[in-house]
Amino acid sequence: MSNLFVHPFEHKAWANAELFEILIAHDGENSPKGWKLATRLMNHLYVVDRIFIGHLSGVAHGYTATNTPETPLLTALRDQTAETDRWWLDFVDSLQAEQGLNIIEFTFTDGKAGRMSVNDMLFHVLTHGSYHRGMIGKILSEAKISAPRDILTGYLHRES
């Protein structure tokens, strides 16, 4: 599906990589508490991505919450997120239009039943990531660090 989802998921991977680069480079120097929150938010994004990958692939994800009790190191989380972003890119690249309409039934981490189309899951992952990266941008701003321009047109402009 050379499609609606390819550029947005390329943007997601690019935005994640840029944000990790800034977070690792500054390492909480101006805001240790903010950095812990930023790391927890990036971990939350990673966990939610893995949960939805589990739903889409039919493989149990093993998570009982949308974050982990421990806070991972940013470098390890960067590498895990990059691997996950590659999974998304491969998935959307091979997705056929009609597959996006497939309905998947699953269980949320709170135990409640869920039912979403593949397209809805993909849109959720994209908007969820954008929302939380925006929150991290605010943390960076409060620490007097320029946040990356996490917008699709910025990504497309850089790549053209």
Side-chain angles (χ1 to χ4, degrees):
M1 186 180 202
S2 57
N3 66 39
L4 173 66
F5 290 108
V6 171
H7 281 309
F9 274 93
E10 288 172 342
H11 165 257
K12 175 185 178 307
W14 168 80
N16 284 339
E18 280 211 333
L19 192 51
F20 274 115
E21 185 177 315
I22 290 170
L23 290 170
I24 290 167
H26 291 281
D27 197 28
E29 62 199 32
N30 296 337
S31 177
K33 186 176 179 183
W35 245 248
K36 178 154 186 176
L37 176 57
T39 304
R40 297 291 300 158
L41 287 168
M42 290 304 289
N43 192 56
H44 168 67
L45 290 179
Y46 168 75
V47 169
V48 170
D49 276 13
R50 297 308 307 179
I51 288 170
F52 276 90
I53 286 171
H55 297 331
L56 288 165
S57 64
V59 176
H61 53 73
Y63 292 100
T64 58
T66 59
N67 213 330
T68 58
E70 68 286 343
T71 302
L73 295 175
L74 274 170
T75 52
L77 185 56
R78 174 200 57 204
D79 297 345
Q80 292 170 321
T81 299
E83 179 183 320
T84 297
D85 285 335
R86 283 189 296 278
W87 188 95
W88 286 119
L89 290 168
D90 290 343
F91 181 80
V92 298
D93 190 50
S94 66
L95 188 68
Q96 299 299 309
E98 64 277 2
Q99 291 173 304
L101 302 175
N102 291 345
I103 301 297
I104 297 176
E105 295 185 5
F106 59 92
T107 304
F108 285 103
T109 57
D110 66 3
K112 293 183 180 170
R115 187 175 191 273
M116 295 172 74
S117 72
V118 170
N119 286 341
D120 288 340
M121 287 185 180
L122 295 174
F123 276 117
H124 171 72
V125 166
L126 290 168
T127 58
H128 179 255
S130 183
Y131 174 77
H132 286 301
R133 285 191 311 271
M135 292 174 69
I136 295 167
K138 176 82 169 131
I139 293 168
L140 291 171
S141 177
E142 289 173 357
K144 309 287 189 249
I145 296 168
S146 294
R149 293 193 64 222
D150 182 358
I151 54 174
L152 180 60
T153 54
Y155 166 74
L156 295 173
H157 179 68
R158 279 186 67 167
E159 298 301 312
S160 60

